[in-house]
């Protein structure tokens, strides 16, 4: 490490043409600033390059209609700041309470200008080192065996100024508009520039290409003034409340669906945009035809010579001429600034707008290049929240922790607890942790067991996709088995064509918890760390390979998993059986009895009572325990001295079990979610 | 167990074969079909045969014929052939001619007709076999209807032969058949008596059994000498099947007590072969006669449940035998013989019977596995954590929290500034242990009501995780005491009202407390100074240092910080320290300990000790020599890692005993054990300890030696000896020499999960058979074998195209627009759906 620092400073000194930093971040958007915050707190040498004069330039323009669809919940009924982040989709992570988004806006769906203001404050209040008005136009590599990753990143800005970095964090977002080229596409207006004044659309007939939130947002804005709006796209509409994916169409934007289904002239249809062609007639009206007809045409004769579909099929759906055609097809990553040697390749299939990265957010092509923020969404596209502020603020923190370990020998932060705290620690985390909740199935808490399961080490929010590399990535050892705490939806619950409101969708009983549909905690137990191969061969739809045991905490209507019998008890039994021990709590009196009648003590007595921290318990509580049959009252049992003689072994234990009185859950209340 | 069963099943079938070796299986079909002439000419003298006469087909008799045919094989085992005689049409002889004769079956021995059976008495194989054997074994199986008949038979047998008495609710049943089959084998050895009269059963001393189930008794008449008394009976516990009866009779035939003279591990008797345990009574020359009587007594009690052997220690050289009086060998292979020390014969019997019970339960479990599963599940969701359950039951009670200030993230720091000392309980409102502590905490608040300068407060970490993290609270509950301008102190004592109150009180005073004058120092030792603590009963520690001993003083101060709240420590290092130390006959640096208000003062010279050593030494010095052990103070003595010599007493101990014990305890300054006493009135759980040791609470006071840390043996001081130093010492010598038998041994079992968890993985497997098997076995370097058809390759990659294709077919992109084009006129249903556009 010392060597690395030394050599890097040496390089910085020797190559005067380059301004050297350990870390370069491209883009001062939410993820760039978030990364800067963590680097700053760790005292690292970093710089953020921002092409605009202020942070969050994307939000200065978009969304065009200025309404953010990330929720900004003012009240949750709870004061737990960590829990409240579960319902705050706009704040970045920081120690500064002033930088909570709800202090900036009271709107549930805030205005985008507020976001710009927030990001400005975030950068200035935390004194983040952002170099504005610097557009990185080219990135290339310089091989050097002494560099952290075997090469340096050489960055060039618009003024030909060069920068040299050991690690490159790409937080450029997704800002290159997706365009389709077809005959007549020159008549199409882009979302980036289309008028947002509804009056400009009065009495017009509009065709919108695309079916994402921007398309619907555009439609929503002009719904009241147009003749009608048609919307064409390749895929069916995907509703976020059916898919549990926040990037799908949000209910706040779906006014057009309403009018379509309520026979108000507006409509949706599916089609491949590449087959389209648009023809403008003399009156300036736009007609939809097919590229096929144009291809067959020999000369560029007048508009009249072009065949329109309705000429042959007189009920062709989009035969009405349009006044405007608007393209709302979303954005893609800017691949253009990277030299070929960086091998920044697009992902495959429906993720081709994203660069190829590993589940550790490191580029597949270049070591030391990490993609942050919305551009890193290929890891959990259409699954979790990694493409959005409320998701990538956590993945950015995870990347920072990976870097701290890799380059500075700072292992992943962890806390060591005695085994008696295992149930508690898990319950605490699943009830309040926001990273687990927002980045469900992507980030997971890892519990590394110490030898003989007397203690454990707790690591928060590790990217589960690189579980196999845990020891290398975190600097922590996992020789004695581990638990992985993660949150999941039911496997067959979410989906574009699923009925998510069917009767009896909620599971109320702990013993059927594995069938839970709504987001709920799942704990995987591995006797040894899964290998790369295990990860590759994991069952489809599983975030993790098959464990040695698994536990689901039953879904809860209030997402409050603190019920002693329905949530904590089954969890304790699961942990006990994995560790082959007894994790119950005991009053000091029971420990006293065990100390005199057993050669070994249960962990709670061993780690508490024996160390003079026994739970004496109030008289009232001990009486309750006696009434429950879980504690024997020896003041009364003078005359009961006739237990069989061979019952020394675990007699108390037996007693504890024999006298337990069933506490039945209230079925009808448990299942209230059905109503 | 099952291996055992097989073994004796085999031996029994072998025996049956011998008994019925006469039949020859000539034809494949066991039911012979003969004409009347052929049949009657084939009858051999002494051979039994069952014949059924028929005119070819008589449809009504068809089912009966089937049963007869089925029983042919069973009967053949007993040398009885089964014949269907086809009567010619014109035949009007005795058997063929009469119309009603055709509804009967005839049993012949040789050519003599023994019995004719109406077909309705032969409704199935059981009834056929039972009735046929019943008729043939007329002498071997006596049928009785009255008690008088039974008694007559019994009396006639006394001194000659044993009797097997069976009750069956009806003849022709499976039980009846089993009895008859047994009688076929054992009829010459024992007299069989059968009844269907339930009244006879009642007399047999079995009023609790219901008359609907068959019962069998073995009556030991052979050894009966008293003509008036009925013979001793041993009931068979199991259902009446041939195997069970055989087993029972086999057991009854075995000798009552087997005398053995070899290693119990090598001994095998019929009991073990039949899957029953064998109890060894360990005897020695001196007590042989008495032991034999005991063995016989036990054997009678256990007859049919276990075997009893008398083992002479003198003949077998096994040192384990010295310490125990009973051994138990179970039929399970590989289970070592258990050596026990039991008090009386009842214990031997419960030992065996309880084991049987356990086995019975296990058998039931196997039979009704599903039932059991459900039961198990029912138990799984029952709370078995005493603390959680107690707190849950108390949750409706409103806690008196008015004395406790509730702090939040915002008020936390300002509150600390307002009072000299703030006690903060960090807890989580959902966590049972911290809620239990909160209840004690309210009692502390009540105790300290009105104490100035102390503020009791609480922070709910579930509401305010930030402040808890900042204050480094990693587990619940945590109590910290914040003093203005000082480091906070974490409470590390018992979570009890008294202990916590005392801690808060003691930590009011700085530790160690600097004393300015000799008067102050002496007042301090008397417990009068400082005045805040004068009402608190405590031991005072005074460190006396000369100006030269600054090193020791620093260590003492450091130790004081560690022990703050647990101990009162003062120090004196003025110029006249020498004068003070002279008074206690030490030279500085020195430690003066004043117990119970200065009435007993000890002084200890300090050498160059580290703070750590000093902490340890102070803790050790504060231990009592002969303490009363309580729930709260046991851990302090446990830490010494020594065996315990405990005098259990119901109430205060007598002066005599107290004096003797104290003498014993003082006698050895660095003794190898903790001498203490336990007041059952104050620590009632001590009764639980005694019950665990001796099954019942023995008479008190009682002196017990417990090797808590090595071996776990428990020895009981002979109650006939008086508790004197001498007696105890000589007893301890005997213990050391291994001459005493431990009364019991503490379980060294690990604490396993009390109940199983829900096996969700298995449930998922049932629902998703495609779930791959778990193959990783923690061997990273060895490549694991995977079946080629398992979902191999990169699932993430493989899955995507399938999603794509799915989208392709379901969403059929482009279909609508293209479909409307004439050239691509193949309009499908998908297209029509959108034609409303």
């Amino acid at each position: 490490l010392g060597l690395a620092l030394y050599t890097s400073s040496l390089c910085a000194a020797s190559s005067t043409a380059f301004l050297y930093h350990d870390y370069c971040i491209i883009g001062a958007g939410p993820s760039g600033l978030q990364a800067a915050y963590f680097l700053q707190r760790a005292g690292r040498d970093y710089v953020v390059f921002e092409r605009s004069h202020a942070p969050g330039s994307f939000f200065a323009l978009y969304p065009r209609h200025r309404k953010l669809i990330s929720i900004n919940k003012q009240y949750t009924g709870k004061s737990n700041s960590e829990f409240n982040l579960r319902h705050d989709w706009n704040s970045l992570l920081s120690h500064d309470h002033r930088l909570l988004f709800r202090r900036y806006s009271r709107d549930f769906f805030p205005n985008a200008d507020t976001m710009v203001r927030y990001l400005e404050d975030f950068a200035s209040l935390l004194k983040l080192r952002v170099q504005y008005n610097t557009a990185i136009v080219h990135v290339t590599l310089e091989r050097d065996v002494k560099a952290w990753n075997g090469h340096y990143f050489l960055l060039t800005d618009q003024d030909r100024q060069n920068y040299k970095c050991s690690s490159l964090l790409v937080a450029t977002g997704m800002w290159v508009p997706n365009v389709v080229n077809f005959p007549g596409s020159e008549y199409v207006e882009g979302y980036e520039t289309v008028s947002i004044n509804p009056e400009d659309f009065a009495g017009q007939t509009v065709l919108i290409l695309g079916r994402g939130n921007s398309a619907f947002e555009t439609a929503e804005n002009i719904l009241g003034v147009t003749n009608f709006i048609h919307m064409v796209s390749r895929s069916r509409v995907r509703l976020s409340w059916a898919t549990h994916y926040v990037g799908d169409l949000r209910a706040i934007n779906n006014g057009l669906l309403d009018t379509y289904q309520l026979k108000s002239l507006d409509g949706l249809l599916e089609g491949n945009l590449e087959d389209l062609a648009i023809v403008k007639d003399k009156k300036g009206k736009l007609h939809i035809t097919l590229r096929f007809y144009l291809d067959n045409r020999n000369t560029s004769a007048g508009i009249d010579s072009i065949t329109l579909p309705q000429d042959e099929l007189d009920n062709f759906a989009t035969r009405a001429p349009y006044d405007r055609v608007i393209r709302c097809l979303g954005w893609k990553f800017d691949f253009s600034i990277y030299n070929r040697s960086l091998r920044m390749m697009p992902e495959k299939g429906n993720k081709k707008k994203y660069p190829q990265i590993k589940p550790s957010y490191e580029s597949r092509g270049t070591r030391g290049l990490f993609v942050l923020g919305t551009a890193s969404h290929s890891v959990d596209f259409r699954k979790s929240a990694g493409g959005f502020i409320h998701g990538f603020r956590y993945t950015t923190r995870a990347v920072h922790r990976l870097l701290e370990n890799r380059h500075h020998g700072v292992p992943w932060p962890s806390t060591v607890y005695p085994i008696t705290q295992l149930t508690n620690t898990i319950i605490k985390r699943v009830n309040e942790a926001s990273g687990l909740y927002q980045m469900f199935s992507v980030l997971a808490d890892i519990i590394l067991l110490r030898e003989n399961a007397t203690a454990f080490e707790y690591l928060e929010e590790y990217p589960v996709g690189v579980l196999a590399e845990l020891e290398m990535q975190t600097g922590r050892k996992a020789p004695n088995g581990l638990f992985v705490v993660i949150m999941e939806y039911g496997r067959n619950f979410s989906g574009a064509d699923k009925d998510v409101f069917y009767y009896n969708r909620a599971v109320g009983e702990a013993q059927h918890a594995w069938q839970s549909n709504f987001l709920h905690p799942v704990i995987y137990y591995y006797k040894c760390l899964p290998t790369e191969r295990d990860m590759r061969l994991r069952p489809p739809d599983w975030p993790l390979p098959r464990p040695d045991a698994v536990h689901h905490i039953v879904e809860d209507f209030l997402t409050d998993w603190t019920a002693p019998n329905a949530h904590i008890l089954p969890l304790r039994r699961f942990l006990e059986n994995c560790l082959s021990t007894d994790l119950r709590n005991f009053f000091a009196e029971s420990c006293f009895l065990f100390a005199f009648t057993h050669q070994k003590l249960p962990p709670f007595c061993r780690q508490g009572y024996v160390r003079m921290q026994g739970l004496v318990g109030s008289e009232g509580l001990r009486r309750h325990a006696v009434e429950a049959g879980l504690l024997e009252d020896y003041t009364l049992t003078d005359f009961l001295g006739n237990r069989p003689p061979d019952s020394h072994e675990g007699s108390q234990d037996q007693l504890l079990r024999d006298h337990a009185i069933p506490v039945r859950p209230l079925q009808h209340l448990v299942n209230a979610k059905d109503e | 167990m099952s291996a055992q069963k097989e073994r004796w099943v085999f031996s029994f079938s072998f025996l049956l074969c011998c008994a019925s070796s006469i039949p020859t299986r000539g034809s494949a079909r066991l039911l012979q079909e003969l004409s009347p002439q052929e049949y009657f000419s084939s009858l051999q003298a002494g051979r039994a045969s069952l014949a059924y006469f028929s005119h070819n087909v008589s449809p009504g008799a068809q089912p009966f014929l089937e049963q007869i045919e089925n029983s042919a094989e069973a009967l053949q085992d007993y040398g009885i052939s089964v014949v269907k005689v086809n009567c010619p049409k014109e035949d009007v002889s005795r058997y063929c001619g009469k119309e009603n004769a055709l509804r009967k079956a005839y049993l012949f021995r040789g050519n003599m007709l023994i019995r004719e059976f109406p077909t309705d008495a032969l409704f199935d194989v059981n009834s056929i076999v039972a009735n046929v054997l019943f008729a043939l074994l007329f002498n071997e199986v006596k049928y009785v209807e009255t008690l008088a008949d039974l008694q007559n038979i019994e009396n006639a047998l006394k001194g000659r032969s044993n009797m097997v008495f069976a009750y069956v609710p009806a003849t022709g049943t499976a039980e009846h058949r089993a009895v008859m089959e047994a009688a076929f084998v054992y009829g010459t050895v024992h007299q069989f008596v059968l009844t269907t009269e339930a009244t006879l059963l009642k007399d047999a001393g079995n009023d609790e059994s219901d008359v609907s189930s068959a019962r069998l008794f073995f009556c030991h008449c052979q050894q009966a000498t008293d003509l008036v008394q009925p013979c001793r009976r041993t009931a068979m516990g199991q259902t009446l099947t041939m195997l069970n009866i055989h087993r029972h009779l086999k057991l009854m035939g075995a000798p009552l007590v087997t005398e053995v003279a070899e290693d119990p591990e090598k001994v095998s008797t019929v009991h073990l072969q039949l899957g029953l345990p064998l109890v060894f009574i360990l005897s020695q020359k001196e007590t042989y006669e008495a032991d034999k009587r005991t063995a016989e007594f036990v054997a009678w009690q256990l007859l049919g449940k276990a075997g009893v052997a008398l083992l002479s220690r003198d003949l077998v050289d096994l040192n384990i035998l010295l310490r125990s009086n009973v051994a138990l060998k179970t039929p399970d292979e590989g289970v070592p013989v258990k050596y026990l020390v039991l008090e009386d014969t009842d214990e031997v019997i419960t030992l065996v019977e309880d084991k049987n019970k356990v086995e019975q339960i296990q058998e039931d479990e196997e039979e009704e596995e599903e039932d059991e599963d459900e039961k198990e599940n029912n138990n799984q969701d029952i709370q078995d954590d005493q603390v959680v359950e107690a707190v849950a039951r108390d949750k409706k009670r409103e806690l008196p929290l008015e004395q406790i200030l509730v702090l939040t993230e915002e008020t936390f720091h300002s509150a600390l500034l307002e009072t000299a000392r703030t006690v903060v309980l960090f807890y989580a409102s959902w966590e049972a242990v911290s809620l239990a502590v909160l209840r004690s905490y309210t009692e502390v608040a009540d105790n300290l009501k009105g104490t100035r300068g102390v503020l009791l407060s609480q922070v709910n970490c579930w509401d305010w995780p930030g402040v808890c993290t900042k204050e480094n609270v990693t587990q619940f509950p945590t109590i910290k005491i914040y003093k203005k301008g000082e480091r906070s102190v974490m409470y590390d004592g018992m979570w009890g009202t008294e202990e916590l109150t005392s801690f808060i009180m003691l930590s009011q005073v700085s530790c160690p407390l600097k004393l300015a004058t000799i008067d102050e120092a002496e007042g301090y030792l008397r417990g009068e100074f400082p005045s805040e603590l004068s009402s608190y009963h405590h031991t005072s520690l005074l460190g006396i240092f000369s100006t030269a001993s600054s090193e020791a003083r620093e260590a003492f101060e450091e130790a004081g910080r560690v022990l703050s709240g647990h101990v009162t420590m003062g120090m004196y290092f003025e110029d006249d320290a020498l004068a003070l130390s002279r008074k206690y006959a030490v030279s500085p640096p020195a430690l003066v300990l004043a117990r119970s208000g200065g009435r007993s003062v000890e002084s200890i010279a300090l050498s160059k000790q580290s703070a750590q050593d000093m902490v340890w030494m102070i803790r050790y010095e504060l231990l009592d020599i002969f303490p009363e052990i309580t729930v709260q103070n046991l851990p302090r003595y446990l830490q010494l890692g020594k065996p315990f010599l405990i005098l259990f007493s119901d109430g205060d101990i007598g002066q005599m005993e107290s004096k003797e014990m104290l003498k014993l305890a003082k006698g050895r300054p660095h003794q190898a054990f903790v001498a203490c006493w336990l007041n059952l009135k104050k620590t009632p759980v001590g009764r639980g300890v005694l019950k665990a040791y001796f099954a019942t609470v023995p008479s008190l006071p009682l002196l017990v030696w417990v090797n808590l840390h090595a071996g776990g043996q428990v020895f009981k001081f002979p109650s006939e000896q008086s508790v004197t130093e001498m007696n105890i010492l000589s007893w301890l010598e005997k213990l050391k020499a291994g001459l005493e038998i431990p009364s019991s041994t503490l379980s060294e079992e690990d604490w396993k999960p009390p109940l199983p968890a829900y096996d969700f993985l298995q449930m998922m497997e049932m629902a998703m058979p495609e779930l791959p098997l778990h193959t990783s076995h923690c061997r990273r370097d060895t490549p694991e074998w995977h079946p080629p058809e398992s979902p191999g390759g990169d699932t993430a990659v493989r899955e995507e195209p399938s999603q794509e294709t799915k989208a392709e077919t379901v969403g059929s992109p482009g279909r609508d627009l293209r479909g409307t084009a004439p050239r691509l006129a193949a309009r499908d249903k998908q297209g029509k759906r959108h034609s409303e556009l």
Side-chain angles (χ1 to χ4, degrees), chain A residues 5-70:
Chain A
L5 282 174
Y6 173 69
T7 51
S8 58
S9 54
L10 197 74
C11 287
S14 63
S15 55
T16 41
F18 294 103
L19 293 170
Y20 175 80
H21 292 282
D22 283 350
Y23 294 95
C24 289
I25 303 171
I26 310 181
S31 64
L33 294 180
Q34 185 70 79
Y37 168 75
F38 289 118
L39 288 170
Q40 173 129 323
R41 293 284 284 178
R44 302 297 166 210
D45 170 27
Y46 77 95
V47 68
V48 185
F49 299 114
E50 169 56 48
R51 59 180 165 162
S52 174
H53 64 281
S57 58
F58 185 86
F59 286 97
L61 265 177
Y62 306 115
R64 292 296 313 284
H65 305 89
R66 309 314 286 150
K67 188 188 263 186
L68 294 175
I69 52 176
S70 333

Side-chain angles (χ1 to χ4, degrees), chain B residues 558-754:
Chain B
E558 183 54 41
R561 274 192 281 280
V562 174
L563 294 168
S564 169
H566 298 290
V567 180
T568 46
M569 283 164 71
M571 60 175 179
Y572 190 76
F573 53 92
E574 297 302 321
D575 296 339
D576 50 358
L578 216 57
L580 186 67
S581 64
R582 218 172 285 130
K583 190 177 169 194
Y584 297 102
V586 282
S587 64
L591 199 60
V592 178
L593 251 105
R595 293 180 211 269
S596 37
R599 262 173 285 152
S600 123
V601 179
E602 290 165 54
S603 38
I604 303 151
L606 290 175
S607 53
K608 279 186 184 168
Q609 281 154 318
S610 67
Q612 190 71 42
D613 291 343
M614 210 170 296
V615 167
W616 192 87
M617 187 205 67
I618 291 170
R619 282 205 178 123
Y620 183 80
E621 290 299 334
L622 287 176
L623 294 180
D624 279 335
I625 298 161
F626 177 54
E628 181 199 337
I629 213 81
T630 62
V631 169
Q632 280 88 340
N633 73 11
L634 173 67
R636 278 188 246 159
Y637 296 93
L638 271 183
Q639 285 183 335
L640 301 174
K642 293 174 181 171
F644 276 64
L645 181 68
I646 319 168
L647 184 65
F648 286 88
S649 164
D650 198 13
D652 280 333
I653 42 170
Q655 249 181 340
M656 251 297 284
E657 282 129 0
S658 166
K659 217 174 82 193
E660 291 293 328
M661 288 295 288
L662 203 59
K663 238 184 342 187
L664 179 82
K666 273 185 180 159
R668 277 140 202 80
H670 293 290
Q671 58 188 217
F673 58 89
V674 177
C676 57
W677 66 286
L678 190 146
N679 183 349
L680 289 179
K681 286 231 162 69
K682 200 167 155 192
T683 312
V685 66
R687 251 177 249 283
V689 176
L690 289 176
K691 274 206 248 170
Y693 292 167
F694 308 110
T696 55
V697 177
S699 65
L700 297 168
L702 176 74
L703 191 61
V704 173
W705 174 274
V706 196
N707 267 335
L708 279 185
H709 304 277
Q713 295 100 334
V714 178
F715 296 92
K716 182 171 135 189
F717 184 71
S719 48
E720 63 274 12
Q721 290 187 31
S722 58
V723 178
T724 65
E725 190 189 2
M726 281 313 294
N727 284 345
I728 297 169
L729 282 176
S730 69
W731 178 61
L732 291 181
E733 282 307 312
K734 270 198 264 174
L735 290 189
K736 219 179 278 171
L739 297 173
E740 292 285 323
I741 300 165
S743 309
S744 73
T745 304
L746 306 190
S747 155
E748 53 177 341
E749 253 181 284
D750 284 318
W751 286 82
K752 293 286 175 201

Side-chain angles (χ1 to χ4, degrees), chain A residues 78-80 234 236 268-272 275 290 292-293 312-313 316-317 351 417-418 421 424 427-428 431-432 510-511 513-514 527-529 533-534 536-539 541-542 546-548 550-552 562 564-565 569-570 572-574 576-577 580-582 584-590 592-602 609-610 612-618 621 624 628 630-632 634-635 638 641 644-646 648-649 656-657 660-662 664, chain B residues 347 350 354 379-391 393-394 430-431 433 436-437 439-440 443 462-465 474-476 492-496 630-632 634-636 639 646 678 684-685 687-689 691-693 695-696 708 711-712 744 746-758 760-761 763-765 767 771-774 776 778 780 784 786 791-793 795 799-800 810 813-814 816-818 820-823 827 834 837:
Chain A
K78 292 202 165 72
S79 58
N80 186 317
R234 171 202 284 271
R236 294 178 55 195
L268 255 64
L269 51 162
E270 284 77 40
N272 195 341
D275 293 340
L290 299 170
F292 166 77
Y293 294 124
E312 295 183 20
L313 186 77
F316 180 66
K351 295 197 270 192
Y417 300 91
Q421 292 292 317
N424 280 350
I427 288 292
K428 175 178 152 69
N431 276 297
E432 68 180 23
Q511 69 197 76
W514 69 280
K527 287 189 182 131
C528 50
L529 195 62
R533 184 184 168 78
D534 293 335
R536 252 194 344 267
L537 297 179
R538 67 183 190 263
D541 278 345
W542 282 48
R546 186 194 160 104
D548 290 294
V550 72
H551 183 70
H552 290 247
T562 59
N565 286 308
L569 177 64
R572 190 195 82 211
R573 294 212 192 287
F574 167 74
E576 281 173 337
N577 280 281
S580 188
T581 187
D582 185 336
R584 285 179 293 179
N585 305 305
F586 294 99
F587 287 115
E589 190 178 307
S590 296
F592 178 90
L593 180 69
F594 299 151
F596 271 123
T597 56
H598 289 69
Q599 297 197 40
K600 291 173 183 161
L601 289 177
Y609 181 72
V610 171
M612 290 188 271
Q613 287 180 289
L615 180 64
V616 177
S618 69
L621 281 184
H624 279 304
L630 295 169
L631 187 69
E632 199 167 325
Y634 289 99
T635 51
D638 265 1
D646 63 327
H648 324 143
E649 295 177 24
L656 295 182
R657 279 174 224 162
I661 292 158
R664 304 301 313 164
Chain B
E347 292 187 14
T350 35
D354 268 21
N379 287 336
Q380 276 172 310
D381 51 34
I382 294 169
Q383 187 57 261
D384 52 1
D385 184 311
Q386 47 184 237
V387 181
V388 176
E389 183 63 23
V391 169
R393 282 169 183 243
D394 199 41
W430 49 265
E431 202 266 332
V433 175
V437 169
R439 277 154 179 81
S440 300
E443 294 173 3
W462 168 223
D463 288 333
W464 308 105
T474 55
Q475 40 180 292
F476 310 122
D492 59 356
M494 286 273 170
W495 298 112
T630 62
V631 169
Q632 280 88 340
L634 173 67
R636 278 188 246 159
Q639 285 183 335
I646 319 168
L678 190 146
V685 66
R687 251 177 249 283
V689 176
K691 274 206 248 170
Y693 292 167
T696 55
L708 279 185
S744 73
L746 306 190
S747 155
E748 53 177 341
E749 253 181 284
D750 284 318
W751 286 82
K752 293 286 175 201
L755 283 172
Y758 300 127
F760 289 137
L761 203 57
M763 295 181 205
M764 288 166 138
E765 237 160 32
L771 202 64
L773 290 174
H774 190 53
S776 85
C778 295
R780 284 163 210 209
E784 293 137 13
H786 284 279
T795 46
E799 208 207 340
E800 269 162 42
V810 176
D816 292 62
L817 287 176
R818 270 183 305 194
T820 52
R823 234 194 116 246
R827 300 204 302 186
H834 284 280
L837 274 174

Side-chain angles (χ1 to χ4, degrees), chain A residues 58 120 217 302 323 340 391 412 459 478 492 568 669:
Chain A
F58 185 86
E120 274 167 10
E217 164 207 320
D323 295 301
R340 287 173 68 90
W412 194 281
L459 279 64
N492 294 311
I568 303 179
L669 283 182

Side-chain angles (χ1 to χ4, degrees), chain B residues 319-348:
Chain B
N319 46 3
I320 346 165
L321 301 182
L322 282 175
R323 285 189 263 108
S324 36
N325 52 11
V326 171
L328 180 72
K329 184 172 181 176
T330 55
D332 314 270
E333 265 170 62
V335 178
V337 175
K338 250 198 227 166
Y339 293 91
L340 307 151
V341 184
L342 299 181
E343 298 269 294
D344 57 33
T345 51
D346 284 353
E347 292 187 14
V348 183

Side-chain angles (χ1 to χ4, degrees), chain A residues 238-245 382-383 440 488-500 502 517-519 541, chain B residues 806:
Chain A
R238 295 163 53 93
L239 299 162
S240 62
W241 48 258
T243 59
H244 296 123
Y245 173 63
R382 288 196 178 159
K383 290 191 178 80
F440 60 90
E488 290 178 11
Y489 280 99
R491 295 210 203 289
N492 294 311
F493 184 47
S494 325
D497 43 5
K498 297 271 168 63
D499 174 9
V500 287
Y502 66 89
N517 283 320
F518 207 73
L519 196 63
D541 278 345
Chain B
K806 200 174 155 200

Side-chain angles (χ1 to χ4, degrees), chain B residues 767-833:
Chain B
M768 292 175 276
E770 70 277 10
L771 202 64
L773 290 174
H774 190 53
T775 47
S776 85
H777 293 294
C778 295
R779 274 172 297 145
R780 284 163 210 209
D781 29 18
T782 51
E784 293 137 13
W785 181 81
H786 284 279
E789 69 275 10
S790 77
D794 191 336
T795 46
V797 169
R798 253 179 61 139
E799 208 207 340
E800 269 162 42
S802 77
Q803 260 187 1
E804 283 271 289
T805 47
K806 200 174 155 200
E808 208 79 43
T809 49
V810 176
S812 54
R815 278 283 165 79
D816 292 62
L817 287 176
R818 270 183 305 194
T820 52
R823 234 194 116 246
L824 309 161
R827 300 204 302 186
D828 55 7
K829 285 172 190 164
Q830 205 80 37
K832 271 182 188 163
R833 213 174 271 167

